[in-house]
Amino acid sequence: MPVTRRELLKYGTFATAGATLFGGHSLFARPAMAATTLTGVTYITPSYEALSYGSNGFVDYLKQNGGEATSVDFYHSGQLLKADEQLPALRAGSIDFMFHTTSYITRSLPILGITGLPGVVGELYRNPDRLAQDSPLFQLINEELAKDNLYMLSSGGGILEPEYIWSTQASPITSLEALRGKKVRIVSFEATKALEPYNIAAVRIPSSETYLALQRGTVDAAVANISTIYGRSLHEQLGTCYELPLTAFTVAPFMLRSRWDALDDGTKQALQGASQWYTDNFASHCNDVVYPEKYWPAVKEAGVKVVEPSEEDLEAFNEGTHAVWAHWKEQVGQEVGERAIALALGQA
């Protein structure tokens, strides 16, 4: 039975699989004295125009500026690895870098929860400089990731526009009370905790399955960023956007810290340049160009009604977020959690 590259990545490192199957001659072995080849992945598809812009630009920068010493093999749309396979493959050394939505991996890497912590995301969204590459918060995140031998090359220049609550015409949600008893598609752990007091039925399903879930009534609503709404055409099945800034995320490039430390100077320089490009362009392009000029007009034209939360709802929600903060600080450590929140809120 032929063995695909995807299977090798999923079930073992290149070296292990190659030695087992080919007598020590890895199918994907790099030629002696050849350029450093960086294998990168993302599950994000081209239909996510805003999100794919960043990873494409990062890879293009590497290819254009890596010189003869660096080459890149990049696989988008889950061509090589599915979303849930990326982090294990990175940890196994089977790939060199990955782009991952931070909200997907906060259970494995709790410090990334600061990018989506309810009650914090509004401040981070309005102040992207707090996640700049030289910022204390960015450094703190990498100090914590280093304990797992991981390194975040860039935050993307800040978080993306917050995730709101989008509901169908049959089950419109225009207040916090209207959430009670609803079946809601949620990805992040932080958002799930924030909505627990409203007795929702949290449903974790991939974005690729959300359209049918909304259409069939499997879920009444979805917590999502507008990239997901537009990229998956979910606005065709939606009636209301309750514009409560519930949670958020960024899409970041990650490497093993040990892999980064072992790179030659030329490859490091190319990656640093690509990371700076990503910081300067990714979040700002999404938030300031694609979302307001293309996505939001299309969503509103489709008839989706945007409802702003009342002052009472905002106050109640923000008050409830402190329980989420307390739980998150238990995951990352009290001191680290308090420092991260203070930095995100501009209080330190």
Side-chain angles (χ1 to χ4, degrees):
M1 178 183 296
V3 179
T4 67
R5 185 175 188 181
R6 185 182 222 286
E7 289 168 335
L8 290 180
L9 281 169
K10 185 173 181 179
Y11 298 112
T13 63
F14 291 149
T16 302
T20 302
L21 297 171
F22 305 107
H25 298 286
S26 170
L27 182 62
F28 307 107
R30 295 165 182 159
M33 303 304 291
T36 298
T37 299
L38 299 173
T39 300
V41 298
T42 183
Y43 52 88
I44 294 171
T45 67
S47 67
Y48 285 81
E49 175 187 340
L51 301 188
S52 60
Y53 168 82
S55 55
N56 290 341
F58 182 99
V59 170
D60 286 345
Y61 185 99
L62 281 180
K63 290 179 177 179
Q64 294 168 13
N65 296 277
E68 296 182 358
T70 306
S71 63
V72 184
D73 288 335
F74 185 66
Y75 301 86
H76 62 78
S77 307
Q79 293 171 329
L80 196 58
L81 294 166
K82 297 178 181 178
D84 291 341
E85 297 169 346
Q86 287 191 179
L87 183 57
L90 184 69
R91 282 175 160 158
S94 301
I95 55 175
D96 296 297
F97 67 94
M98 69 173 186
F99 286 89
H100 220 305
T101 308
T102 52
S103 59
Y104 275 40
I105 50 177
T106 56
R107 296 308 303 274
S108 299
L109 305 169
I111 189 59
L112 296 179
I114 192 63
T115 65
L117 207 59
V120 170
V121 296
E123 278 291 303
L124 274 182
Y125 176 61
R126 289 187 291 271
N127 298 276
D129 56 296
R130 293 176 189 169
L131 274 171
Q133 282 185 288
D134 58 351
S135 69
L137 180 55
F138 182 81
Q139 293 171 5
L140 176 60
I141 291 171
N142 267 321
E143 287 171 9
E144 293 301 302
L145 290 177
K147 297 175 183 178
D148 284 318
N149 191 28
L150 292 170
Y151 177 49
M152 184 169 73
L153 283 77
S154 167
S155 71
I159 62 172
L160 302 180
E161 182 181 284
E163 295 184 300
Y164 304 127
I165 301 170
W166 305 75
S167 53
T168 63
Q169 292 183 0
S171 299
I173 294 171
T174 58
S175 68
L176 287 175
E177 281 302 312
L179 272 166
R180 294 192 181 278
K182 293 295 194 296
K183 296 169 291 185
V184 185
R185 181 261 183 183
I186 304 181
V187 171
S188 80
F189 176 72
E190 293 73 29
T192 304
K193 290 294 292 182
L195 295 183
E196 272 186 359
Y198 302 97
N199 300 316
I200 67 162
V203 183
R204 184 183 172 97
I205 55 177
S207 60
S208 59
E209 299 174 15
T210 304
Y211 187 100
L212 284 177
L214 290 165
Q215 186 182 58
R216 295 170 176 172
T218 305
V219 294
D220 304 304
V223 173
N225 168 271
I226 197 169
S227 276
T228 301
I229 301 302
Y230 185 90
R232 295 295 184 181
S233 300
L234 302 185
H235 49 291
E236 297 175 1
Q237 299 298 326
L238 295 168
T240 304
C241 170
Y242 181 50
E243 208 170 25
L244 178 73
L246 186 62
T247 185
F249 63 87
T250 187
V251 180
F254 296 89
M255 295 187 72
L256 289 181
R257 183 75 219 194
S258 55
R259 175 64 169 139
W260 168 261
D261 290 340
L263 290 172
D264 60 86
D265 290 343
T267 302
K268 271 189 180 180
Q269 185 175 355
L271 280 165
Q272 286 170 334
S275 299
Q276 187 61 57
W277 180 93
Y278 195 74
T279 296
D280 293 342
N281 292 279
F282 173 59
S284 60
H285 180 73
C286 296
N287 292 334
D288 302 335
V289 180
V290 180
Y291 293 168
E293 294 181 7
K294 184 173 183 178
Y295 286 10
W296 275 110
V299 166
K300 291 177 180 178
E301 186 177 347
V304 176
K305 180 183 178 182
V306 179
V307 177
E308 294 184 7
S310 66
E311 289 297 325
E312 292 78 11
D313 271 7
L314 284 172
E315 185 177 346
F317 179 74
N318 288 331
E319 182 66 27
T321 60
H322 292 287
V324 184
W325 293 7
H327 182 85
W328 179 71
K329 284 187 280 189
E330 291 177 0
Q331 307 303 308
V332 298
Q334 193 74 16
E335 183 179 349
V336 169
E338 289 180 357
R339 185 182 169 204
I341 290 173
L343 290 170
L345 296 177
Q347 298 172 354

